[in-house]
Amino acid sequence: MNIDNNFGIAFSLTMLAGLTTAVGGVIAFVTKKDNLKALSLGLGFSAGVMIFISLVDIIPGAENLLKMNFPNNYQWLVFGGFLAGLLLSVLIDYFLPDHVDTEELLHPDDPEAYSHSHYKLQRAGFLTAIAICVHNFPEGMATFLTTTQNITLGISVAFAIAIHNIPEGIAVALPIYHATGKKRYAMLYAALSGITEPIGALVGMMIFGFFVPNILVGVLMAGVAGIMTYISFDTLLPLAKEYGNWHLSIVGIMSGILFIWLSLILLG
């Protein structure tokens, strides 16, 4: 396969995945301020997709890429890549967490929560947008590189990232919308929070695409699996529980697993 021929497809997929944060901004427009339980289902769905595709698709794909050149050590390389992805996520989350104060989102008119002022909500939205930009950069690079190696796998990764980016867009838009009441601001910042994914793709094209051996994409894919697994357990599942009924979250998780499983069967 000529990897250069896939650059256009890879960049397009990464761009589309990044822009789905804007979809989250749209959802914020139609979500009632006093009822965010519907988000529990969506967040659970995203977590199901991310966990399943990481463990069932991406890791085996990474092993297949590495097995031919490293028949005796490929499992350790995949394990190391997965661990590196986890550690990177922990470091990013430690220095720049992307969590939102859900009590202020769920109860924006509560006197105690309101005493923190609309400014704090708006600031939370801005900081969340910045944090998500940082989180999305390696995701964009990973989506691009996996697509250059395997278009089918790249579509799966892009789909998982896109699903994940929808609640990220919501996390950006909701506090800004609640604080300002202006939908266009919420939409703008939600969309901008995903712009670093195509930027990550460009960096991947300029640096990794030319200077890193293609075989190391397998290690990177394992890192992507680690990143997505961490995001699912650290962010999506806790938020799913906070936003609503835990049983509804479980339904979302199972629905996400079944949906992506069926998608992979059809794509395969």
Side-chain angles (χ1 to χ4, degrees), residues 164-230:
H164 167 55
N165 281 348
I166 292 175
E168 284 189 343
I170 294 172
V172 173
L174 278 176
I176 294 177
Y177 181 40
H178 289 323
T180 67
K182 298 180 179 180
K183 297 180 180 179
R184 62 181 182 275
Y185 284 173
M187 180 67 178
L188 175 62
Y189 283 100
L192 289 178
S193 67
I195 198 64
T196 52
E197 292 214 6
I199 293 175
L202 289 175
V203 172
M205 183 187 301
M206 291 185 294
I207 299 178
F208 288 96
F210 297 108
F211 299 111
V212 175
N214 296 332
I215 197 66
L216 293 185
V217 175
V219 177
L220 177 61
M221 288 168 56
V224 173
I227 291 171
M228 295 204 304
T229 301
Y230 178 86

Side-chain angles (χ1 to χ4, degrees), residues 41-112:
L41 181 64
L43 290 166
F45 183 91
S46 300
V49 169
M50 301 276 276
I51 294 170
F52 183 87
I53 202 171
S54 296
L55 302 181
V56 176
D57 190 30
I58 295 180
I59 288 180
E63 290 180 342
N64 289 334
L65 283 173
L66 295 168
K67 185 183 298 185
M68 182 177 300
N69 293 81
F70 306 96
N72 299 321
N73 301 315
Y74 72 93
Q75 289 180 320
W76 284 109
L77 290 173
V78 172
F79 179 83
F82 185 87
L83 181 61
L86 288 178
L87 292 177
L88 175 63
S89 299
V90 170
L91 289 174
I92 291 176
D93 204 38
Y94 178 79
F95 290 106
L96 198 58
D98 62 350
H99 302 301
V100 180
D101 188 343
T102 53
E103 279 302 308
E104 292 189 347
L105 295 180
L106 292 169
H107 306 290
D109 298 322
D110 181 83
E112 185 175 349

Side-chain angles (χ1 to χ4, degrees), residues 109-126:
D109 298 322
D110 181 83
E112 185 175 349
Y114 189 83
S115 65
H116 294 290
S117 81
H118 279 73
Y119 170 76
K120 185 176 180 181
L121 265 179
Q122 189 170 356
R123 180 175 178 272
F126 294 153

Side-chain angles (χ1 to χ4, degrees), residues 195-263:
I195 198 64
T196 52
E197 292 214 6
I199 293 175
L202 289 175
V203 172
M205 183 187 301
M206 291 185 294
I207 299 178
F208 288 96
F210 297 108
F211 299 111
V212 175
N214 296 332
I215 197 66
L216 293 185
V217 175
V219 177
L220 177 61
M221 288 168 56
V224 173
I227 291 171
M228 295 204 304
T229 301
Y230 178 86
I231 289 171
S232 299
F233 285 104
D234 179 70
T235 303
L236 296 182
L237 292 179
L239 284 179
K241 184 177 181 180
E242 290 184 27
Y243 278 139
N245 188 301
W246 180 240
H247 294 290
L248 189 62
S249 305
I250 296 297
V251 172
I253 294 170
M254 294 298 103
S255 299
I257 290 174
L258 293 175
F259 180 82
I260 194 62
W261 194 349
L262 179 60
S263 299

